[in-house]
Amino acid sequence: MQEKFLAFIREKELLQPGQPVLLAVSGGLDSVAMAHLFQQCPYPFALAHANFGLRAEESEGDAHFVEALARQLGVAFHTTRLPAASEAEVKGVSIQMAARDLRYQWFGELCRQEGYLALATAHHLSDQAEGLLLNLSRGTGLAGLHGIAPKRPLLSTENSPLLIRPLLFTRRDELEAWATAQGIRWREDSSNASPKYRRNLIRQQVIPPLKSLNPQLEEGLQELASQVRAAEGVLKGVVDALHRQVVAEKAGHTTLSLPPLLAQPEPQYLLGELLQPWGFGWAEAGAILHSLQRSAGSPVGKEFSSATHRLVVDREQLVITPLGAAALPPTPLALEQPELQLGPWHFRTRRLPAKGYRLLADPLLAALDLGRLQFPLLLRPVQPGDRFQPLGMRGKKKLSDFMIDQKIPLNLKDELLVLQSGTDIVWVVGHRIDERYKVSGHTAEIFEIRGTHT
């Protein structure tokens, strides 16, 4: 076992000799066996134990046991109490999920503070098999089949410590046989026998009959997970290349061009992967593509929502905006006010002589006849019944009709701002100024305003 342990660490390049590592130790068989295996390795280590207090005296006993183990092994010991139950209630998640998040957050802080280059957890092949089968029972995509990787960054920060799993070469029964032969003592967690936990049901009732069909079940599932991770790497390259081609970040929203996507094989998979950052996935991608088929490829206004974003199908593109953005308040703008911040918008203004001024075709810049404006101006959201005279037109037009003509997606209409002078709309920000306020041969001074969406 010891030789296989060292060989696995070297093969997967989990650690280099002399690199300090923090071991996550609960007191159970797996983590205690891992601690004893590390004792005979050229890697300095310490033990860390998170006490959630979920099993009263049993939890306290686990903490005391791990502390005694650290003294026995002659290494440093770190421990803390973490409020998993109250955290789960606040966040509306399971206690197991809350405990996991709190534990890894603490481990990460500990690694940074004490200089450990890696955190080792005691996941083994049996854990790998249970996790994959549990994901399959729930229904999963590729992400649920890539299993536990031997190593990955512990944190999503630069120069993060590694999270390593040095026992992913052995099964639980092999580890128990070795620990028993070595005379190693460990604690039994009573919750591991409870049928109320799905993982326990997988371990006790699903895996045994499967192993009667294939005694090498764990090894086979480990091989599957490795192949899925490799396939994910290949697919990520394809998705990243397509992302650069079809996704564009614009002022306050994101667009996704559909024609290049639809030309690809398996567009539902690709669309689901592209939409993940905004909380959409495989199912929503299928519904979007179905809406395209039903409307002959160019639907307008079909909406989808995730927990964080709103998506509108707008002809040959998808338009994605954040949910829950508060309406911006009407805000006055004085003549001698060079800058104004209004929500995500930043405006800069200048007054300039008309002589020699060169008009630019920039929808985010409005050049207006200063002599016709009434100050203070007002920047405000669109209101029902708004009208203005779009540049180049003779008569007034409903702003709602103008937005339709301009093919402004439904989820962007609510975010439009207008600049008002007196009772007149003089600029639909980012789109068109009013004909009556344009710069002409009679203009003496120009009021210039430029908007930038941050």
Side-chain angles (χ1 to χ4, degrees):
M1 179 68 71
Q2 187 70 48
E3 291 178 0
K4 290 180 179 179
F5 181 70
L6 275 168
F8 184 78
I9 290 175
R10 295 189 188 111
E11 177 193 347
K12 301 300 181 182
E13 298 180 339
L14 304 185
L15 290 168
Q16 296 299 320
Q19 288 186 330
V21 56
L22 182 66
L23 311 189
V25 180
S26 65
L29 162 66
D30 308 337
S31 58
V32 170
M34 179 178 68
H36 282 277
L37 286 167
F38 263 106
Q39 190 184 29
Q40 302 177 49
C41 293
Y43 313 108
F45 68 95
L47 307 190
H49 177 79
N51 184 353
F52 299 105
L54 297 174
R55 292 173 289 114
E57 293 182 4
E58 194 174 341
S59 293
E60 297 303 315
D62 291 344
H64 293 315
F65 178 86
V66 179
E67 184 177 11
L69 176 62
R71 287 197 301 269
Q72 175 191 341
L73 299 176
V75 298
F77 173 65
H78 307 278
T79 188
T80 190
R81 294 177 182 274
L82 298 172
S86 59
E87 184 79 0
E89 186 174 351
V90 168
K91 292 189 173 180
V93 298
S94 69
I95 290 178
Q96 289 75 21
M97 182 65 71
R100 180 189 181 281
D101 291 345
L102 287 171
R103 180 169 63 241
Y104 279 104
Q105 181 181 346
W106 177 61
F107 288 149
E109 293 170 356
L110 201 52
C111 285
R112 283 199 303 264
Q113 292 168 4
E114 302 295 332
Y116 299 112
L117 298 183
L119 170 73
T121 64
H123 295 93
H124 43 60
L125 291 180
S126 301
D127 293 319
Q128 181 82 288
E130 292 165 12
L132 290 174
L133 292 171
L134 185 58
N135 288 342
L136 278 173
S137 71
R138 291 169 172 161
T140 184
L142 284 181
L145 295 177
H146 64 205
I148 308 167
K151 67 177 179 181
R152 66 170 178 81
L154 174 60
L155 308 170
S156 58
T157 57
E158 195 173 349
N159 299 320
S160 166
L162 285 178
L163 172 57
I164 62 173
R165 281 74 174 242
L167 295 183
L168 274 179
F169 68 95
T170 189
R171 302 188 307 268
R172 180 183 291 107
D173 59 339
E174 293 174 321
L175 202 60
E176 183 174 2
W178 175 81
T180 301
Q182 297 293 314
I184 294 172
R185 294 173 50 249
W186 63 85
R187 299 270 295 178
E188 291 290 352
D189 183 343
S190 60
S191 66
N192 286 338
S194 172
K196 75 176 182 178
Y197 297 116
R198 294 179 180 179
R199 182 176 286 272
N200 292 347
L201 286 175
I202 296 287
R203 181 186 307 131
Q204 296 162 6
Q205 299 181 28
V206 176
I207 287 182
L210 289 177
K211 288 201 69 164
S212 69
L213 297 173
N214 178 14
Q216 301 299 310
L217 176 71
E218 292 92 342
E219 289 80 1
L221 289 175
Q222 172 74 337
E223 184 68 18
L224 169 65
S226 298
Q227 291 185 32
V228 169
R229 281 197 299 275
E232 275 189 309
V234 174
L235 289 170
K236 184 178 185 301
V238 174
V239 172
D240 287 349
L242 187 59
H243 184 282
R244 291 190 292 270
Q245 183 181 0
V246 303
V247 176
E249 298 292 338
K250 300 188 177 179
H253 66 281
T254 304
T255 62
L256 190 153
S257 176
L258 289 169
L261 169 74
L262 298 176
Q264 302 293 321
E266 303 301 335
Q268 182 176 352
Y269 173 80
L270 293 171
L271 180 57
E273 291 297 302
L274 289 169
L275 292 177
Q276 278 191 7
W278 299 282
F280 302 96
W282 168 267
E284 292 81 7
I288 291 166
L289 294 177
H290 182 65
S291 72
L292 291 172
Q293 293 169 354
R294 291 188 62 184
S295 54
S298 58
V300 177
K302 183 68 175 176
E303 290 191 48
F304 301 86
S305 294
S306 70
T308 57
H309 287 79
R310 181 184 181 193
L311 181 152
V312 170
V313 184
D314 183 58
R315 301 168 183 83
E316 293 190 337
Q317 67 176 356
L318 306 180
V319 181
I320 306 164
T321 53
L323 277 180
L328 297 176
T331 304
L333 178 64
L335 173 58
E336 302 299 338
Q337 187 173 347
E339 294 187 55
L340 173 67
Q341 187 73 39
L342 181 57
W345 284 97
H346 185 77
F347 294 96
R348 293 178 181 272
T349 71
R350 297 190 299 173
R351 56 186 300 177
L352 300 163
K355 186 176 181 180
Y357 185 86
R358 186 164 60 91
L359 292 170
L360 299 175
D362 183 348
L364 290 174
L365 183 142
L368 305 168
D369 188 330
L370 180 60
R372 297 185 63 85
L373 297 174
Q374 298 179 37
F375 286 89
L377 305 178
L378 187 68
L379 277 161
R380 63 167 176 83
V382 173
Q383 296 174 353
D386 275 342
R387 292 172 174 267
F388 82 125
Q389 187 177 340
L391 181 67
M393 292 188 63
R394 291 189 176 182
K396 286 189 177 182
K397 191 180 190 73
K398 286 184 179 179
L399 192 50
S400 57
D401 292 336
F402 173 78
M403 290 189 290
I404 291 172
D405 292 344
Q406 294 296 301
K407 300 177 180 175
I408 298 173
L410 189 62
N411 51 344
L412 298 186
K413 293 178 181 178
D414 297 338
E415 299 183 5
L416 275 185
L417 289 178
V418 297
L419 182 65
Q420 182 174 315
S421 171
T423 59
D424 292 339
I425 291 174
V426 298
W427 182 33
V428 179
V429 177
H431 293 277
R432 192 85 60 88
I433 66 168
D434 187 285
E435 169 73 19
R436 297 165 294 174
Y437 292 84
K438 71 180 181 180
V439 174
S440 69
H442 302 291
T443 302
E445 268 194 292
I446 293 170
F447 181 75
E448 183 187 86
I449 177 169
R450 179 184 292 276
T452 305
H453 198 286
T454 56

